[in-house]
């Protein structure tokens, strides 16, 4: 049975900071749409802003499902699980807002967030109004040790920027990230952002 908390406590903050990674899950409104779960890291790319707000740095990748889903409906859950020490799972359910890199608020929100890649790869900060905080046992999570972060994202991005130039790389990412796999606008224009603070 999950334990529900009224706020993100100092104990939660400290425990979160010791986890090597986190997971993000979102879904479109359509029953035929694809649910998405993404592993995220390093943990330094995530921060607790206050007792009901968290944020993380989103970088270019192979998909853009989270952004498209948030723009459509705002629903999101963050999950942390202990791979070392006592078993535990912590879930933060809420409403997410996408703050793109060209938004005037981006630099302040991204300040202090660790980037596993290069600055050119930063595409947004996801800000989450946390509405449900719950932990559970985590007995099914295996014990594993973290050897470190992979260097591949940074190396790949640097290669693309070197070949395409900064503007070419940005255009490439915006074109391939225009829509989700279900056709929802992500980088593309033309959709009222349901997730943008619409509670």
């Amino acid at each position: 049975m999950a334990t529900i908390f009224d706020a993100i406590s100092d104990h939660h903050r400290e425990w979160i900071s010791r986890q090597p990674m986190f997971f993000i899950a979102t879904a479109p409104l359509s029953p035929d749409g694809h649910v998405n779960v993404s592993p995220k890291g390093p943990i330094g790319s995530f921060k607790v802003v206050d007792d009901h707000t968290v944020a993380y740095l989103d970088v270019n990748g192979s998909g853009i499902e989270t952004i498209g889903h948030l723009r459509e409906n705002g629903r999101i859950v963050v999950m942390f699980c202990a791979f070392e020490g006592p078993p535990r799972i912590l879930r933060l359910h809420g409403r997410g807002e996408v703050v793109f890199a060209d938004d005037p608020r981006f630099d302040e929100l991204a300040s202090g967030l660790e980037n596993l890649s290069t600055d050119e790869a930063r595409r947004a900060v996801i800000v989450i109004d946390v509405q449900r905080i719950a932990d559970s046992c985590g007995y099914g999570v295996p014990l594993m040790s973290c050897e470190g972060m992979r260097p591949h994202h940074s190396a790949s991005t640097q290669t693309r920027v070197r070949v395409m130039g900064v503007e070419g790389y940005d255009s490439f990412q915006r074109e391939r990230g225009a829509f989700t796999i279900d056709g929802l606008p992500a980088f593309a224009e033309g959709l009222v952002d349901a997730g943008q603070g619409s509670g």
Side-chain angles (χ1 to χ4, degrees):
M1 186 88 177
T3 302
I4 309 299
F5 300 89
D6 293 331
I8 302 170
S9 67
D10 289 341
H11 175 71
H12 289 133
R13 291 174 186 241
E14 193 276 332
W15 182 83
I16 286 170
S17 72
R18 289 188 281 112
Q19 308 316 309
M21 63 180 299
F22 57 102
F23 300 86
I24 298 293
T26 58
L29 292 177
S30 170
D32 298 323
H34 293 78
V35 175
N36 186 68
V37 180
S38 295
K40 300 290 183 180
I43 198 63
S45 65
F46 181 94
K47 67 180 173 182
V48 178
V49 178
D50 60 40
D51 60 5
H52 282 92
T53 310
V54 298
Y56 73 89
L57 181 65
D58 183 71
V59 297
N60 289 322
S62 57
I64 199 161
E65 304 306 295
T66 300
I67 287 176
H69 294 164
L70 290 181
R71 289 189 62 194
E72 184 200 40
N73 61 69
R75 299 175 303 168
I76 189 168
V77 61
V78 186
M79 187 188 80
F80 303 89
C81 55
F83 296 111
E84 297 181 312
R88 185 183 197 186
I89 294 172
L90 179 68
R91 292 181 177 89
L92 308 176
H93 292 86
R95 306 280 298 183
E97 176 185 3
V98 181
V99 180
F100 285 111
D102 58 1
D103 188 300
R105 299 172 295 164
F106 177 83
D107 286 340
E108 182 177 353
L109 288 168
S111 176
L113 293 177
E114 186 179 348
N115 182 6
L116 62 76
S117 190
T118 64
D119 284 349
E120 292 84 1
R122 304 185 310 168
R123 66 184 176 193
V125 170
I126 307 300
V127 182
I128 303 167
D129 173 22
V130 179
Q131 300 170 348
R132 184 177 189 270
I133 303 153
D135 74 359
S136 54
C137 66
Y139 293 165
V141 178
L143 287 167
M144 297 187 289
S145 59
C146 179
E147 295 183 14
M149 299 303 297
R150 299 175 189 266
H152 298 73
H153 197 289
S154 178
S156 174
T157 302
Q158 290 179 36
T159 298
R160 289 185 186 278
V161 170
R162 185 170 62 251
V163 172
M164 300 176 174
V166 174
E167 290 184 6
Y169 172 75
D170 185 62
S171 295
F172 166 75
Q173 292 296 345
R174 287 181 175 276
E175 182 177 345
R176 81 170 185 165
F179 297 94
T180 70
I181 57 177
D182 296 315
L184 292 174
F187 270 132
E189 301 296 331
L191 179 75
V192 174
D193 291 326
Q196 311 298 282
S198 62

